[in-house]
């Protein structure tokens, strides 16, 4: 870095010689203007409107015009202003950092010790650290008297120029004066959205996407020339952007929470997505047929008990539920579509019902076969009709 200015911080009767460096720089890709017909570069000339001659920069002075009168100020006259010749950064007061309005911050500068012994520099830094305050200073830089804030960053004194109070515009918008009512649910949803996006600020995790994509466009144009296809380069059509669709505020909050939380916590907060609402409707519709098929499950249990030759139907029901024979297993899988397989097709369920009925009627003794078929046929028929609402 190259120092842009030299001066001294006046801390009471203590002087702290420093060099001033720009703490920030512009990373934007530099572009210039050209003629679209032949690519010739466009250049601006300083031309006098009186004599029409191109004027060299060294022959240009500054002027002020008021009420039709023009006052020309030479470079020497401007340099004679006392504040312009001052190279002192005067500390005028120490204030709590929270009292500074961030909107007033303008530009930042690093201050480096400019003496053989940096003791005075370190003393001022320690004073700011111990008191946890910011020094308000006044200084002149580039033909302007400035207000500034002196603080610490990584053991280095940083000077931040501040805008004067009359340089900050007052925010006055009639639209904000209207009486706007915010419901408690809207506040809770917005607070939940803020909480879901809460994190520690890490500047390195952010990227200037426009500059990255501009570099990508330049590289593609250098490689492909005039045959450049922007849709192929970026994967989207040129100029494609948001449509600015106006949606309900609560719906927007619900969708935002659903996106950030993956749908789980959003549903518990009353913010389910459209897809989840549709799935819920389907579950409600299929719940009624699930109750009807409970008779099929009991009939299958009784059929299994008849095959094993036991007279006690209740133990057979528990045993079949645990051991899950072929007929009971197939019927049980049909009886709970609303809970576990609401997304399966009706045709697949009907085919499973037919298969279960045929298995139940095709096994066991002759007497059991007749009674088992009658016992399982009616519930199977009901199951087939129950699938229509699904």
């Amino acid at each position: 870095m190259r120092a842009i200015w030299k001066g001294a911080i006046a801390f009471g009767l203590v002087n702290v010689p420093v060099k001033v460096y720009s703490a920030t720089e512009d990373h934007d890709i530099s572009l210039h203007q050209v003629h679209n017909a032949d690519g010739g570069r466009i250049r601006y000339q300083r031309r006098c409107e009186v004599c029409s001659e191109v004027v060299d920069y060294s022959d240009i002075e500054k002027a002020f015009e008021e009420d039709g009168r023009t006052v020309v100020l030479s470079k020497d006259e401007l340099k004679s202003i006392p504040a312009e010749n001052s190279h002192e950064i005067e500390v005028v007061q120490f204030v709590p950092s929270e009292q500074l309005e961030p909107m007033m911050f303008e530009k930042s500068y690093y201050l480096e010790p400019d003496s053989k012994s940096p003791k005075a520099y370190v003393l001022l830094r320690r004073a700011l650290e111990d008191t946890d305050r910011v020094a308000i200073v006044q200084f002149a830089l580039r033909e302007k008297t400035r207000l500034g804030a002196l603080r610490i960053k990584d053991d280095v004194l940083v000077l931040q120029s501040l805008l004067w109070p009359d340089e900050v515009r007052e925010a006055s918008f009639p639209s904000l004066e209207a009486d706007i009512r915010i419901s408690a649910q809207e506040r809770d949803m917005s607070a939940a959205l803020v909480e879901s996006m809460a994190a520690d600020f890490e500047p390195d995790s952010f990227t200037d996407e426009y500059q990255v994509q501009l570099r990508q466009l330049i590289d593609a144009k250098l490689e492909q020339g005039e045959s450049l296809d922007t849709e192929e380069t970026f994967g989207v059509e040129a100029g494609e952007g948001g449509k600015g669709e106006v949606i309900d505020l609560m719906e927007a909050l619900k969708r935002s929470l659903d996106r950030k939380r993956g749908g789980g916590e959003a549903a518990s907060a009353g913010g389910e997505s459209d897809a989840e609402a549709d799935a819920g409707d389907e579950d409600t519709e299929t719940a009624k047929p699930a109750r009807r098929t409970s008779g099929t499950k009991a009939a299958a249990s009784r059929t299994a008990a008849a095959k094993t030759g036991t007279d006690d139907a209740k133990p057979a029901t528990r045993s079949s539920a645990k051991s899950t024979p072929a007929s009971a297993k197939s019927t049980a899988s049909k009886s709970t579509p609303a809970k576990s397989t609401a997304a399966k097709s009706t045709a697949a369920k009907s085919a499973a019902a037919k298969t279960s009925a045929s298995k139940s009627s095709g096994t066991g003794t002759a007497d059991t076969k007749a009674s088992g078929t009658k016992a399982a046929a009616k519930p199977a028929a009901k199951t087939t009709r129950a699938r229509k609402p699904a």
Side-chain angles (χ1 to χ4, degrees), residues 278-317:
D278 294 341
D281 294 340
E282 186 177 351
D283 291 344
T284 304
E285 293 175 358
T286 56
K288 293 180 179 178
R291 297 190 193 100
R292 294 176 184 173
T293 55
S294 61
T296 306
K297 185 175 182 179
S301 301
R302 289 195 295 271
T303 303
K307 290 179 183 180
T308 55
T310 56
D311 295 330
D312 192 357
K314 292 182 179 179
T317 304

Side-chain angles (χ1 to χ4, degrees), residues 253-264 266-267 271-274 276:
L253 289 171
K254 290 177 181 178
R255 291 184 181 181
S256 300
L257 276 171
D258 182 61
R259 179 181 301 177
K260 297 301 293 183
R261 295 179 173 180
E272 62 181 3
S273 62
D274 294 341
E276 291 173 333

Side-chain angles (χ1 to χ4, degrees), residues 58-131:
S58 59
D59 296 329
I60 295 177
E61 302 289 2
K62 295 183 179 180
F64 176 78
E65 185 175 349
E66 185 178 50
D67 298 332
R69 300 178 59 188
T70 301
V71 178
V72 178
L73 302 173
S74 66
K75 295 181 180 64
D76 292 337
E77 290 170 340
L78 290 173
K79 288 181 179 180
S80 67
I81 297 177
E84 172 65 16
N85 296 323
S86 174
H87 285 258
E88 184 177 79
I89 303 174
E90 181 186 4
V91 177
V92 293
Q93 59 182 186
F94 293 90
V95 302
S97 58
E98 59 269 16
Q99 293 183 1
L100 291 177
E101 170 57 52
M103 192 176 292
M104 296 181 65
F105 290 121
E106 189 177 20
K107 189 172 175 59
S108 300
Y109 303 91
Y110 287 134
L111 302 184
E112 179 192 14
D114 189 25
S115 62
K116 294 181 179 180
S117 174
K119 185 175 182 178
Y121 182 97
V122 175
L123 175 63
L124 177 57
R125 189 188 69 194
R126 291 285 176 83
L128 293 175
E129 290 175 344
D130 295 341
T131 59

Side-chain angles (χ1 to χ4, degrees), residues 5-7 20 81-90 137-147 159 164:
W5 189 76
K6 288 185 179 183
V20 180
I81 297 177
E84 172 65 16
N85 296 323
S86 174
H87 285 258
E88 184 177 79
I89 303 174
E90 181 186 4
V137 301
Q138 286 185 323
F139 63 103
L141 179 64
R142 294 174 177 171
E143 300 178 355
K144 184 177 180 180
T145 302
R146 303 172 186 266
L147 191 65
L159 175 63
W164 294 99

Side-chain angles (χ1 to χ4, degrees), residues 242-252 255:
K243 297 180 179 179
E245 181 182 359
V246 179
I247 58 177
D248 180 71
L249 180 58
M250 279 299 298
E251 183 65 21
R255 291 184 181 181

Side-chain angles (χ1 to χ4, degrees), residues 143-304:
E143 300 178 355
K144 184 177 180 180
T145 302
R146 303 172 186 266
L147 191 65
L150 200 63
R151 61 183 185 84
I152 304 169
K153 182 183 183 303
D154 300 332
D155 294 334
V156 177
L157 291 178
V158 175
L159 175 63
Q160 289 186 285
S161 59
L162 303 175
L163 296 173
W164 294 99
D166 60 350
E167 293 180 318
V168 179
R169 293 178 176 177
E170 181 181 356
S172 177
F173 304 106
S175 60
L176 295 179
E177 297 175 2
D179 186 16
I180 306 296
R181 294 185 178 180
I182 304 296
S183 67
Q185 186 180 8
E186 288 172 333
R187 295 186 65 175
D188 292 341
M189 291 289 290
S190 61
L193 179 59
V194 170
E195 186 62 28
S196 69
M197 300 174 65
D200 293 329
F201 179 55
E202 298 179 358
D204 293 339
S205 64
F206 297 92
T207 305
D208 188 344
E209 294 183 359
Y210 180 83
Q211 295 300 317
V212 173
Q213 294 171 1
L214 177 58
R215 182 75 255 181
Q216 183 181 355
L217 178 62
I218 292 173
D219 293 341
K221 191 67 180 284
L222 289 173
E223 181 179 352
Q224 302 176 26
E226 296 301 324
S227 61
L228 172 69
D229 184 354
T230 56
E231 184 175 354
E232 181 182 350
T233 302
F234 297 114
V236 295
E237 294 184 4
E240 183 179 334
K243 297 180 179 179
E245 181 182 359
V246 179
I247 58 177
D248 180 71
L249 180 58
M250 279 299 298
E251 183 65 21
L253 289 171
K254 290 177 181 178
R255 291 184 181 181
S256 300
L257 276 171
D258 182 61
R259 179 181 301 177
K260 297 301 293 183
R261 295 179 173 180
E265 297 181 19
S268 63
E272 62 181 3
S273 62
D274 294 341
E276 291 173 333
D278 294 341
D281 294 340
E282 186 177 351
D283 291 344
T284 304
E285 293 175 358
T286 56
K288 293 180 179 178
R291 297 190 193 100
R292 294 176 184 173
T293 55
S294 61
T296 306
K297 185 175 182 179
S301 301
R302 289 195 295 271
T303 303

